[in-house]
Amino acid sequence: MALLQIAEPGQSAAPHQHRLAVGIDLGTTNSLVAAVRSGVTATLPDENGQHSLPSIVRYTQDGIEVGQVAALSSAQDPKNTIVSVKRFMGRSLTDIQSGEQAFPYQFEASENGLPLFVTPQGQVNPVQVSAEILRPLVERAEKTLGGELQGVVITVPAYFDDAQRQGTKDAASLLGVKVLRLLNEPTAAAIAYGLDSKQEGVIAIYDLGGGTFDISILRLNRGVFEVLATGGDSALGGDDFDHLLQAHMQQVWQLTNIDSQLSRQLLIEARRVKEALTDASEVEASLTLADGTVLKQLVTKAEFDSLISALVKKTIASCRRTLRDAGVTADEVLETVMVGGSTRVPLVREQVEAFFGKAPLTSIDPDRVVAIGAAIQADILVGNKPESELLLLDVIPLSLGIETMGGLVEKVVSRNTTIPVARAQEFTTFKDGQTAMAFHVVQGERELVDDCRSLARFTLKGIPPLAAGAAHIRVTFQVDADGLLSVTAMEKSTGVQSSIQVKPSFGLSDTEIATMLKDSMKHAKEDISRRMLAEQQVEAARVLESLNAALAKDGDLLTSDERQQIDTVMAQLAEIARGDDADVIKQAIEVLDEHTQDFAAKRMDNSIRVAFKGQSIDNI
Amino acid sequence: MNYFELFKFSPAFDIDTAVLAERYRELQRAVHPDKFANDTEQQRLLSVQRTAQVNDGYQTLKDPIRRAEHMLSLRGIDLSHETTTVKDTAFLMQQMEWREALEDIRDSADPQESIDELYDSFAAYRTKLTKLLTAQLSSGSEEDALLAADQVRKLKFMAKLHDELTRIEDALLD
């Protein structure tokens, strides 16, 4: 979609033109898209007036159904109707099947152990299923806003690990949508409440969704949100309340040998009862069996509370630990924000209020609050609000480490470290002439590799052959603002850059993504090489546009010679981009990159200088 | 990298952490990748690297132990990868006593009271060490710098004890 938007350098969009960007809440149960229009932020409804899209995808012989349509078939065709796919993101098939929950799907394992759903449309992985959920949301936004999106902000649970984040970003890449930022859901909620424009202080965000629980502690100061700590459980949510109630009803009605269809029916009824108990003290559950028998049972709020009480307590214990990690006490918390549909459960509200000692903020629909915050952030990031003071400083939710001798983990970046972060570690060879080295990166808090999540394995190649222990390889782990890891390595004595092949343990490799992209293109019956050319042309136009903007702003940092050189190389790229050779354009972009390296560094230094303008050492 | 320079402080152990936090936010506004969301890939990458430095600098200067370590490393004394341990026998005896106290918490009549008492004694001891450290770091002599390094090692022991106590308290609450 965005790939077709090509602007000639001279004709690029005027800098003050409103750019289209949206926030997307890709939820476990429901997904939403929101945008800022004429200063008002709101979720966008579909043509039937529905704001939330059930995160359900059904694969049939004839095609793919998403949302409400798919939800209606969920009970009849559970095998091909994938619900809560977010829970499968970045997980191995073994992980999924070792859980207590049984799934009605037919699984296959991919080469690296990822779950593949076997459907009438062939095998699909969780990233592809998520892309199907994003697709109608992006289409809805483009239709409503009347143009192509320049970028999106997608929210993820703060507790998502690298594989889960990468998977979410990959899903957007499959659609050709530019991700401006992966935003943590709790932070998005804080933005939605406009807390940035109000007081300074500590804010707690309690986010209980369908499948995940997050607690984040933020410090707010003149528009800057600094995440102090985050905690939670990526496998605990309102779905678990449903399952407990489902199990309870199954026991009460003494149902045995139930098939997947009846089980789904029971689950749907459990959810209905749970939701009804928000406003009622008792609700009658009923179930119609295949033979027409109707079962009925009264469920009281007290019964429900006792079923879920242990899970709610677990979330409160998380709150306590996370406050401790943040170095603040419950009394210091100014506001508590509630996010996620499951915070409608009365017991949850009661317990949260009791723990923090104040009534939580609930004025914005907890189902929409995240998408709204994401839209505000998207509007800023895309450049519509250059004067905005808002800045989000997130943390890495889980420690990153590497495997050492004996299956132990050496921590490289500890959890709750503010990102972006870079850490360098040095390694040496243990054999004469050794030219390669293997690494295993894991994420988690435990000491044994087996207790952490495997993120990636990579091999360093091209180490100069030296005596054992003579080569010093400096490996740099860098986590960007989205919480995504990249690794670079260099042999110190020779300065040789070693190449790294990262093989994600539970994510998709670059090759797999390329294949999926190609497949999707075949599907669209498009000429691949033409697409590749268009892609490079767009990239060239983007680079030129950004550089033009940078030169307009910071051009005075260059001498006239430097300026002339950059202008020349830019003109060359503009000329080459009109041609039809994708590789040549790519090279020209790289050449321009080299010529602007110093300019980029000067701009960064200048930016810092401006920030400290008028401040002498030690004084404000 | 001299983080004192990055944050425009003269290299002293006593820094105003409120000013530090304010400068941290200003620096973030200047270099954070979100400020370059529409810029070239090159500029964004550079921004990620700079922000990583700013973050590391802030964490280093904010934490007294790391700040002291950083000061010492700027003077050529690198403590971050060393294996040297404290040789002060009185200190080590005190550590052993505290370790035993940690083990006894579970069986004590009022665990929370024992925990609170230990927090207090740890804090008092840390204050004592920090006082010495401040004086030794402010003098320019090599001898004092080496003594300061010893206080830092002791403070690291104390930090570990503190962490352990926290873990025990957490386990009690869960």
Side-chain angles (χ1 to χ4, degrees):
Chain A
M1 259 162 291
L3 289 179
L4 298 175
Q5 190 221 6
I6 306 169
E8 291 289 328
Q11 309 168 343
S12 55
H16 296 297
Q17 194 183 324
H18 187 81
R19 292 153 159 263
L20 302 182
V22 294
I24 295 178
D25 173 4
L26 185 60
T28 307
T29 320
N30 289 298
S31 296
L32 291 113
V33 59
V36 181
R37 287 187 290 170
S38 323
V40 180
T41 316
T43 49
L44 308 176
D46 65 8
E47 57 264 296
N48 302 320
Q50 292 295 319
H51 288 252
S52 71
L53 177 81
S55 303
I56 301 178
V57 181
R58 182 188 180 205
Y59 292 84
T60 71
Q61 290 293 346
D62 306 325
I64 302 171
E65 295 170 355
V66 186
Q68 201 53 47
V69 195
L72 292 173
S73 322
S74 153
Q76 287 80 52
D77 189 17
K79 192 168 146 269
N80 300 309
T81 310
I82 298 155
V83 299
S84 303
V85 69
K86 195 172 174 179
R87 285 192 160 191
F88 299 91
M89 195 68 104
R91 293 277 169 263
S92 73
L93 185 56
T94 325
D95 277 347
I96 290 159
Q97 291 179 331
S98 65
E100 280 172 26
Q101 203 182 334
F103 295 99
Y105 318 118
Q106 190 188 333
F107 287 114
E108 288 277 346
S110 78
E111 210 176 295
N112 55 354
L114 282 179
L116 294 170
F117 301 94
V118 181
T119 79
Q121 292 281 324
Q123 295 180 347
V124 291
N125 61 43
V127 172
Q128 287 168 308
V129 178
S130 303
E132 292 306 334
I133 300 169
L134 288 175
R135 192 191 305 278
L137 294 173
V138 170
E139 282 168 5
R140 185 194 297 179
E142 294 192 330
K143 206 172 152 201
T144 315
L145 303 176
E148 292 191 7
L149 298 182
Q150 305 275 321
V152 298
V153 167
I154 303 180
T155 57
V156 290
Y159 216 56
F160 254 24
D161 65 27
D162 181 86
Q164 293 166 308
R165 283 167 197 267
Q166 190 62 60
T168 306
K169 208 170 177 180
D170 291 343
S173 308
L174 284 183
L175 299 180
V177 173
K178 183 183 176 187
V179 179
L180 294 165
R181 176 84 123 93
L182 292 178
L183 182 60
N184 286 336
E185 289 162 7
T187 326
I191 297 174
Y193 272 99
L195 294 175
D196 52 307
S197 63
K198 284 182 194 152
Q199 65 275 79
E200 299 184 351
V202 179
I203 295 157
I205 294 137
Y206 180 101
D207 178 357
L208 189 61
T212 54
F213 168 65
D214 277 347
I215 171 73
S216 290
I217 311 297
L218 276 64
R219 186 186 297 283
L220 182 61
N221 201 309
R222 279 182 244 170
V224 178
F225 280 104
E226 193 186 332
V227 180
L228 298 176
T230 118
D233 191 332
S234 58
L236 186 142
D239 288 358
D240 297 304
F241 297 170
D242 301 347
H243 289 128
L244 287 169
L245 196 52
Q246 176 192 25
H248 171 73
M249 280 157 31
Q250 195 175 325
Q251 196 189 6
V252 168
W253 285 325
Q254 294 177 331
L255 296 169
T256 46
N257 297 326
I258 59 172
D259 59 14
S260 59
Q261 190 175 331
L262 184 63
S263 170
R264 183 63 68 91
Q265 241 180 294
L266 200 55
L267 185 61
I268 292 169
E269 179 60 6
R271 180 165 299 169
R272 186 192 68 80
V273 170
K274 172 188 79 174
E275 286 169 6
L277 280 172
T278 296
D279 301 310
S281 55
E282 52 181 46
V283 171
E284 189 177 57
S286 80
L287 185 75
T288 311
L289 299 179
D291 63 7
T293 323
V294 179
L295 302 172
K296 286 193 187 298
Q297 174 69 33
L298 204 63
V299 182
T300 66
K301 180 177 176 295
E303 266 176 302
F304 178 62
D305 284 356
S306 78
L307 284 173
I308 64 166
S309 159
L311 290 183
V312 178
K313 275 208 183 104
K314 222 171 139 183
T315 69
I316 298 295
S318 270
C319 292
R320 197 171 46 234
R321 266 193 301 273
T322 309
L323 277 176
R324 160 88 39 81
D325 289 346
V328 295
T329 62
D331 312 335
E332 288 176 66
V333 176
L334 267 186
E335 298 279 12
T336 316
V337 174
M338 296 293 251
V339 190
S342 307
T343 58
R344 290 200 180 88
V345 173
L347 183 71
V348 171
R349 288 197 180 181
E350 288 156 27
Q351 299 278 317
V352 171
E353 181 165 349
F355 178 73
F356 287 101
K358 56 189 69 75
L361 293 177
T362 54
S363 63
I364 303 180
D365 183 338
D367 287 327
R368 295 186 188 178
V369 66
V370 166
I372 287 172
I376 295 172
Q377 172 76 345
D379 194 44
I380 294 169
L381 290 184
V382 84
N384 289 334
K385 283 192 161 179
E387 75 289 353
S388 169
E389 288 277 279
L390 180 68
L391 188 63
L392 304 178
L393 309 178
D394 266 319
V395 298
I396 182 168
L398 301 159
S399 302
L400 279 178
I402 46 171
E403 177 170 356
T404 61
M405 300 284 224
L408 295 174
V409 179
E410 184 177 335
K411 273 187 191 165
V412 180
V413 181
S414 9
R415 83 195 160 99
N416 288 330
T417 300
T418 311
I419 51 177
V421 62
R423 287 272 190 291
Q425 293 255 337
E426 275 178 31
F427 300 92
T428 189
T429 47
F430 72 103
K431 268 191 201 155
D432 288 342
Q434 188 179 342
T435 58
M437 207 179 261
F439 290 87
H440 184 199
V441 186
V442 297
Q443 196 161 20
E445 309 314 314
R446 309 277 295 274
E447 280 166 21
L448 293 176
V449 165
D450 289 346
D451 296 331
C452 290
R453 291 195 53 72
S454 173
L455 276 192
R457 289 175 190 276
F458 64 90
T459 314
L460 269 181
K461 286 186 179 163
I463 299 170
L466 298 167
H472 286 274
I473 298 107
R474 191 181 169 85
V475 179
T476 307
F477 300 84
Q478 181 175 281
V479 181
D480 67 13
D482 289 334
L484 297 174
L485 171 74
S486 61
V487 190
T488 50
M490 197 175 70
E491 202 286 308
K492 273 178 70 182
S493 63
T494 58
V496 171
Q497 194 85 26
S498 313
S499 66
I500 297 178
Q501 297 165 331
V502 178
K503 189 177 176 292
S505 306
F506 300 116
L508 303 167
S509 64
D510 289 348
T511 338
E512 280 173 292
I513 291 173
T515 313
M516 278 157 59
L517 266 173
K518 276 186 189 152
D519 285 351
S520 68
M521 285 175 204
K522 262 183 229 150
H523 204 65
K525 291 193 178 63
E526 280 198 26
D527 180 6
I528 294 170
S529 66
R530 227 181 59 203
R531 189 92 178 207
M532 292 304 178
L533 174 63
E535 206 171 305
Q536 286 307 322
Q537 286 175 324
V538 168
E539 185 52 31
R542 263 191 202 147
V543 170
L544 289 171
E545 195 197 330
S546 306
L547 258 181
N548 270 321
L551 285 168
K553 191 168 161 264
D554 295 325
D556 53 346
L557 298 173
L558 295 167
T559 65
S560 58
D561 272 6
E562 289 168 332
R563 175 63 189 257
Q564 204 169 7
Q565 231 185 8
I566 290 178
D567 283 345
T568 311
V569 186
M570 281 176 78
Q572 278 166 1
L573 174 60
E575 179 59 35
I576 289 168
R578 282 189 204 105
D580 57 6
D581 190 331
D583 289 338
V584 174
I585 300 174
K586 197 171 174 209
Q587 279 164 19
I589 295 175
E590 281 163 13
V591 170
L592 181 57
D593 252 20
E594 277 167 34
H595 278 86
T596 52
Q597 242 167 36
D598 288 346
F599 179 46
K602 278 182 181 169
R603 287 181 66 204
M604 204 55 81
D605 291 338
N606 184 57
S607 192
I608 294 176
R609 224 176 1 252
V610 171
F612 279 157
K613 209 170 141 193
Q615 297 188 4
S616 62
I617 286 188
D618 285 347
N619 278 313
I620 285 230
Chain B
M1 174 120 212
N2 184 333
Y3 288 137
F4 288 100
E5 273 174 19
L6 178 65
F7 282 80
K8 298 244 183 285
F9 277 107
S10 47
F13 184 67
D14 254 329
I15 60 171
D16 185 335
T17 49
V19 174
L20 175 69
E22 184 53 40
R23 291 196 182 160
Y24 170 64
R25 285 189 290 270
E26 288 310 321
L27 276 174
Q28 283 284 4
R29 280 189 210 286
V31 300
H32 196 275
D34 282 357
K35 296 289 175 190
F36 298 90
N38 283 303
D39 223 304
T40 57
E41 197 58 37
Q42 183 182 44
Q43 198 75 45
R44 284 211 304 270
L45 227 82
L46 191 61
S47 139
V48 169
Q49 288 164 0
R50 284 296 172 87
T51 314
Q53 274 177 357
V54 168
N55 279 329
D56 196 46
Y58 180 55
Q59 294 309 325
T60 302
L61 296 185
K62 198 171 70 166
D63 175 46
I65 297 180
R66 291 184 62 185
R67 191 192 315 141
E69 259 184 319
H70 184 57
M71 283 183 76
L72 290 167
S73 86
L74 291 174
R75 291 167 70 171
I77 302 172
D78 186 14
L79 294 178
S80 53
H81 297 104
E82 67 165 20
T83 44
T84 323
T85 54
V86 177
K87 291 184 188 76
D88 180 339
T89 334
F91 175 79
L92 293 173
M93 290 296 287
Q94 175 67 71
Q95 287 288 310
M96 274 169 65
E97 254 174 56
W98 274 330
R99 296 233 157 242
E100 278 165 21
L102 286 180
E103 275 164 33
D104 294 340
I105 290 175
R106 272 192 182 286
D107 306 321
S108 78
D110 185 349
Q112 193 57 52
E113 198 189 319
S114 321
I115 288 171
D116 291 342
E117 273 169 21
L118 279 170
Y119 272 129
D120 289 346
S121 14
F122 291 176
Y125 197 80
R126 270 204 310 268
T127 310
K128 208 175 99 188
L129 289 174
T130 309
K131 230 175 176 171
L132 284 171
L133 178 66
T134 312
Q136 285 155 355
L137 278 175
S138 64
S139 112
S141 85
E142 179 72 7
E143 201 182 325
D144 277 341
L146 291 173
L147 286 172
D150 230 30
Q151 311 307 341
V152 172
R153 290 184 192 108
K154 288 179 182 172
L155 280 166
K156 282 183 174 177
F157 268 94
M158 295 308 297
K160 268 189 205 140
L161 271 182
H162 185 92
D163 285 351
E164 227 140 284
L165 184 56
T166 311
R167 259 197 297 277
I168 291 168
E169 190 179 17
D170 266 347
L172 272 177
L173 287 166
D174 283 351

